[in-house]
Amino acid sequence: KLISQLMCLFLLFQILGAVILGFGIWILADKTSFIAVLQMSSPSLKTGAYILIGVGALTMLMGFLGCLGAVNEIRCLLGLYFTCLMIILITQVAAGLVIYFQKETLKEELSRIVRSLIEKYNPWNDDERNLQDAWDYVQTQIACCGWTGAKDWENNEILINQSMTAYPCSCSNSSKDFQVDTGFCNLDVPTNDTVTYADWPVHQQGCMDGVEQWLKDNLGVILGVCTGVAVIELLGMILSISLCKNIHSEDYTKVPKS
């Protein structure tokens, strides 16, 4: 019975590893969401994605080794499975604590990245096309403008040169601009008038508020998933060590021969 429970758990770990692996690959491949803005601007997120890929692959490997150890009653494989699982769990807890205690630092870094992107935004620069399109997508989907608000766009070099007579189309709250979600749209004003961001037909809410609200709305789901993963890992550790203790002696003749 214990072996059958472990087999089901090992299968679950294979699925869990595949999900983690897929999530890491998605972060690297995604080019149209807020994740794309981060991973193209911050090397740390790319590093995190590679870590997720590594953890996912390791989880799948551990599931396979645990299954092999349970079926053939090989203590060393079960012990290896338990040790690696414990290391993964400790790493996850440590990462969560770092994120929690460094959240203000991470928030400041994120703010710096987005503001730098806004200041250098140039729709005619093909080298930054993917990054700029990703930010336009964020502003369009969340219905926001800038990081803290539309005022952030007053620091854009091109808009300054145009005396603020243009505005980012992806920020627009006007129905006539609904079909245009990239680049700059021209503002119909007399050339001798002084224009500020307050004259633009754009959303006034910053994307920071939208992102924080999304995190608050989905915090329960995020915590639930993290807790579920931790419980599964603890269960796997308990069952593997129990089976390991029930194996009275190692019989290396049971190791499959290649």
Side-chain angles (χ1 to χ4, degrees), residues 166-181:
Y167 58 92
C169 299
S170 57
C171 285
S172 178
N173 60 9
S174 174
S175 58
K176 70 176 183 178
D177 295 327
F178 278 174
Q179 300 302 317
V180 184
D181 54 10

Side-chain angles (χ1 to χ4, degrees), residues 70-115:
V71 171
N72 295 281
E73 297 185 353
I74 304 174
R75 266 183 166 177
C76 62
L77 287 182
L78 289 171
L80 178 63
Y81 173 78
F82 173 85
T83 303
C84 290
L85 206 56
M86 183 173 61
I87 293 173
I88 291 174
L89 181 59
I90 292 174
T91 302
Q92 289 172 342
V93 172
L97 291 174
V98 169
I99 291 173
Y100 178 78
F101 288 110
Q102 297 293 321
K103 58 183 177 182
E104 291 302 322
T105 302
L106 294 173
K107 187 176 179 180
E108 290 175 5
E109 174 66 11
L110 180 57
S111 177
R112 184 194 63 78
I113 291 171
V114 175
R115 282 176 172 164

Side-chain angles (χ1 to χ4, degrees), residues 39-72:
Q39 70 99 352
M40 284 187 281
S41 303
S42 175
S44 58
L45 188 65
K46 282 188 176 182
T47 302
Y50 287 123
I51 290 174
L52 284 175
I53 292 174
V55 169
L58 181 61
T59 301
M60 293 179 69
L61 177 61
M62 287 304 98
F64 173 74
L65 291 180
C67 180
L68 194 62
V71 171
N72 295 281

